[in-house]
Amino acid sequence: MPGEPESSAKRMELEKEILELRRARQLLQLLANATNILISDNLDYEVRLKNLAEVIVPNFADWCAINIIAPARLSYTVVTAAGEDKKKLAEEIARKYPPEREYRYGVAEVIRSGQATLYPAMPDELIRRTTVNAEHYELLKKLGIVSVMVVPMISQHETIGAITFVTAESGYRYSEDDLAIAKQLAHRAAVALENALLYAEVAEANRAKEKFLAMLAHELRNPLTPVRNSLPILAEKGKEDYEIRDIANIMDRQIAVMNRLLDDLFDVARATAGKIRFHTEDLELPGLLRHAAETMRPELERKGLQFSVYLAGRPVHVHGDRVRLEQIVINLLGNAAKYTPAGGHVTLECELEGKEAVIRVRDTGKGIPPHMLEKIFQLFVQVDQSLDRPEGGLGLGLTLVQMLTERHGGRVSARSEGPGRGSEFIVRLPVVPEPETKPGPAERRPAADEPKRILVVDDNEDAANSIGKLLRRLGHSIRVAYDGISALEIAQGFNPEAVLLDIGLPLMDGYEAAARFRELYKNSRPDLLLVALSGYGQEEDRAKSREAGFNYHLVKPFDTQELRNIINAWPQKTG
Ligand code: ADP
């Protein structure tokens, strides 16, 4: 038929067009997939590169290598190829013949010049020129290379590597169009990689900072413990001697201040890392606020401030973490005390406004200039930055207040008529409907101190002795040990009802000692009270203590009243 050759030519052309369209669609898909990988949350650059290489092969190449040569950072190669054998072969070549920086061809040259190269075909002669010896040549020949593109990865600032695209068994020959796609891919990869590297650096620095802060808080808390433990003794002696009583009071106040600073430092570090865990429950807010107010009353009154508390007459319930909510109010009252001169007035109020519980802490103090009202919630921001500020502080408290409020689904703001005209801090929290009246957990009132046999173990001898002395005064029978092994030995004859164990002990740490105590007394005293005394109070530390068999975990310097309550509330032992 006369028309046949023409129609067959048309069909071929159509088929070609369809093929091209299909490839164009594939390439678009490839770019989309690659972009998804590169912007994924997984910022580990090795994972990203591997994933990227895996979308390139086999859709866009049969073989792909990514070389990263960022000065002073890393040099890394990912290789994938269709089929396990090919993959092994490609990896062998990458291992044996990595591109050396001084090479005047291939990857090294592309990185140096920043210019991509395209080899639509790879004649034997070219392979020979780009291999270093006979074995290298033989290995490359085995790959059956058809076509190659080497494209630089150029980020905003520098060339940080190159991607090599190779076709083999598919028989496909790369064109200029493919090169354009490859360049786009390499550019996106470069930018994403640079971000990942920067992120890794920042994350590393953050980790180091967090570790340092945790260590700092721990090291600073440790020496405070024995001092704090000794205070009740001093205070008792001060019953007859007002000078001693005064000293004890000063020490107590200063230790409380230092403790609060350490807690804030520790909490801000953890909150910025999103690591504060909340133990939430339905809470009756006015009761909680009353408790916070009574905690702060002595400090406010000592400063010569009048302190008034007006709490909602009706019940206001919020869902939250008791300790953290108290911390919010204590921080605000602490600031009111700090920034209000003697003779001033501080007010704590709580009201229900629609579906919000509104807490207001107001003072008649030095006030806040309008342009600082929002800024003061930022980390380290203080209105007065001079070194001789009479109030001291680190500029952490309000940051923490804001973070904790927001974690409760609330918000905080500041108001002030200006310098000298007082300030008001307003915390708004969502309320929950009043819960059905159900019997709360049975409150165990601490009985009078019932004498118990208690073993105190701490390698800081001052700490061990001071806790021992304190408990002895309360009527308990005490033995003291300075390491875990001696503790186990002493226990043999002493048969303790409670063991207070420091965690950071030499030879055998507190966790191991606790586990051994549990094992030793598993039949004769299954209700042995084990209390961990630790400088670390993060959730992981508490969990580790629970796992080791501890009943309680106290963070140093702990509240001696809390220890006393724990010991008194512990079920009465027999034998
Ligand atoms: P710090 O009190 O340790 O400096 P904060 O984060 O608690 O840190 O407070 C930040 C700053 O906000 C303070 O330095 C102070 O300038 C200002 N500020 C906070 N509370 C008050 C207040 N009640 N009255 C006046 N200024 C305040």
Side-chain angles (χ1 to χ4, degrees):
M1 286 210 274
E4 224 175 45
E6 199 189 329
S7 77
S8 122
K10 259 197 184 144
R11 198 168 55 237
M12 275 171 67
E13 202 167 301
L14 198 67
E15 270 171 13
K16 200 170 147 232
E17 258 173 39
I18 289 174
L19 271 177
E20 276 170 7
L21 273 174
R22 198 177 292 156
R23 179 149 180 86
R25 207 174 53 209
Q26 260 179 5
L27 293 182
L28 274 178
Q29 189 60 46
L30 171 75
L31 268 182
N33 290 347
T35 306
N36 277 343
I37 286 169
L38 293 171
I39 61 169
S40 70
D41 284 343
N42 190 342
L43 285 162
D44 180 337
Y45 70 91
E46 292 188 19
V47 175
R48 285 187 181 201
L49 291 186
K50 192 165 172 299
N51 292 347
L52 179 66
E54 272 162 14
V55 294
I56 292 173
V57 174
N59 297 324
F60 193 50
D62 297 323
W63 194 97
C64 162
I66 304 179
N67 291 85
I68 302 301
I69 305 170
R73 284 193 214 139
L74 66 143
S75 166
Y76 188 75
T77 312
V78 182
V79 179
T80 57
E84 266 312 299
D85 288 352
K86 278 279 167 74
K87 186 173 169 136
K88 281 208 182 93
L89 186 59
E91 276 168 358
E92 188 186 342
I93 297 172
R95 198 177 55 250
K96 285 187 173 165
Y97 301 101
E100 301 287 342
R101 278 175 187 231
E102 66 274 14
Y103 289 173
R104 288 275 152 202
Y105 54 82
V107 170
E109 178 59 24
V110 166
I111 289 175
R112 189 179 14 255
S113 67
Q115 298 296 320
T117 49
L118 163 66
Y119 303 105
M122 271 304 264
D124 203 44
E125 150 61 17
L126 195 58
I127 295 183
R128 223 175 259 290
R129 253 201 296 134
T130 54
T131 47
V132 292
N133 60 24
E135 189 201 35
H136 192 188
Y137 169 80
E138 288 305 326
L139 287 172
L140 271 193
K141 282 297 273 185
K142 271 198 215 164
L143 280 176
I145 296 174
V146 170
S147 184
V148 178
M149 296 186 286
V150 187
V151 184
M153 292 168 73
I154 304 174
S155 71
Q156 269 162 305
H157 307 105
E158 53 188 341
T159 304
I160 57 172
I163 307 184
T164 307
F165 306 82
V166 180
T167 59
E169 54 278 358
S170 62
Y172 184 81
R173 282 173 193 264
Y174 287 125
S175 64
E176 288 291 339
D177 288 347
D178 295 315
L179 189 65
I181 296 275
K183 280 183 185 166
Q184 271 214 44
L185 235 155
H187 175 62
R188 288 182 198 192
V191 173
L193 194 65
E194 193 172 59
N195 288 345
L197 287 170
L198 284 176
Y199 176 84
E201 274 172 25
V202 174
E204 183 49 43
N206 251 342
R207 261 195 299 279
K209 188 180 75 189
E210 223 183 90
K211 221 164 127 193
F212 174 76
L213 285 180
M215 211 168 65
L216 184 73
H218 176 233
E219 290 303 317
L220 292 176
R221 267 174 181 160
N222 256 349
L224 279 186
T225 311
V227 180
R228 190 174 191 178
N229 290 342
S230 311
L231 276 179
I233 299 170
L234 208 60
E236 204 181 297
K237 291 219 176 223
K239 272 188 192 149
E240 292 103 50
D241 184 333
Y242 84 96
E243 234 175 328
I244 294 188
R245 191 179 56 220
D246 251 19
I247 291 173
N249 285 343
I250 291 172
M251 285 170 69
D252 193 31
R253 283 197 301 274
Q254 298 306 316
I255 290 173
V257 171
M258 208 153 140
N259 248 342
R260 213 180 295 152
L261 276 176
L262 284 176
D263 285 347
D264 281 358
L265 194 63
F266 210 56
D267 284 345
V268 163
R270 298 198 49 79
T272 16
K275 282 191 186 160
I276 289 193
R277 296 235 180 110
F278 276 34
H279 302 280
T280 51
E281 54 187 319
D282 280 348
L283 296 165
E284 209 267 311
L285 196 58
L288 182 149
L289 293 177
R290 199 167 296 119
H291 187 252
E294 288 325 305
T295 307
M296 291 304 288
R297 185 179 290 284
E299 189 173 325
L300 290 153
E301 289 182 349
R302 204 172 40 245
K303 278 214 61 188
L305 299 168
Q306 201 186 329
F307 182 34
S308 315
V309 181
Y310 305 104
L311 301 174
R314 49 198 164 150
V316 181
H317 289 271
V318 296
H319 191 72
D321 180 308
R322 178 187 296 280
V323 176
R324 298 303 183 182
L325 285 173
E326 277 197 23
Q327 197 177 358
I328 292 174
V329 180
I330 286 176
N331 266 333
L332 293 177
L333 288 173
N335 277 350
K338 240 163 66 173
Y339 298 106
T340 310
H345 196 159
V346 175
T347 318
L348 169 67
E349 280 179 17
C350 170
E351 253 314 324
L352 190 62
E353 287 183 16
K355 292 197 165 147
E356 281 181 337
V358 183
I359 305 166
R360 289 191 169 81
V361 176
R362 228 186 333 250
D363 64 53
T364 54
K366 66 191 285 185
I368 301 164
H371 71 282
M372 292 301 284
L373 283 173
E374 280 182 21
K375 289 206 185 101
I376 48 172
F377 292 97
Q378 291 167 14
L379 196 55
F380 306 132
V381 170
Q382 301 178 307
V383 174
D384 180 1
Q385 292 268 5
S386 60
L387 278 181
D388 57 352
R389 283 167 302 126
E391 303 91 1
L394 296 170
L396 300 171
L398 287 181
T399 308
L400 203 60
V401 163
Q402 188 176 48
M403 282 175 169
L404 294 176
T405 305
E406 286 175 359
R407 281 284 302 269
H408 280 89
R411 58 195 196 282
V412 57
S413 56
R415 275 173 45 181
S416 171
E417 299 291 318
R421 309 189 56 186
S423 316
E424 182 180 13
F425 286 82
I426 306 149
V427 176
R428 293 174 182 276
L429 297 169
V431 290
V432 290
E434 192 179 342
E436 307 263 315
T437 40
K438 55 179 181 209
E443 268 190 38
R444 267 198 294 219
R445 280 199 59 71
D449 292 0
E450 187 85 34
K452 292 200 172 84
R453 287 186 302 280
I454 304 175
L455 177 55
V456 180
V457 195
D458 197 322
D459 63 325
N460 179 333
E461 296 187 13
D462 278 349
N465 294 338
S466 58
I467 303 172
K469 226 183 225 169
L470 176 77
L471 294 174
R472 214 170 264 134
R473 285 182 158 256
L474 295 172
H476 301 291
S477 173
I478 303 295
R479 292 284 186 287
V480 173
Y482 306 127
D483 66 76
I485 295 171
S486 335
L488 285 157
E489 278 167 11
I490 292 173
Q492 308 270 321
F494 181 52
N495 192 14
E497 292 160 275
V499 184
L500 315 183
L501 265 168
D502 176 39
I503 294 296
L505 290 173
L507 303 172
M508 174 197 289
D509 69 16
Y511 298 125
E512 192 183 338
R516 291 198 184 208
F517 270 108
R518 275 276 170 260
E519 179 58 31
L520 201 64
Y521 287 97
K522 116 177 131 197
N523 299 322
S524 61
R525 191 181 293 287
D527 58 357
L528 171 72
L529 169 63
L530 285 180
V531 181
L533 308 177
S534 167
Y536 297 96
Q538 301 169 21
E539 188 48 39
E540 303 94 276
D541 305 311
R542 292 175 191 277
K544 223 164 147 190
S545 287
R546 274 195 297 275
E547 216 170 276
F550 281 107
N551 305 98
Y552 290 91
H553 180 110
L554 294 183
V555 180
K556 294 179 190 177
F558 51 83
D559 182 353
T560 45
Q561 186 56 44
E562 190 181 354
L563 177 64
R564 200 172 158 189
N565 291 347
I566 289 173
I567 293 172
N568 282 334
W570 196 246
Q572 192 59 49
K573 320 290 183 313
T574 52

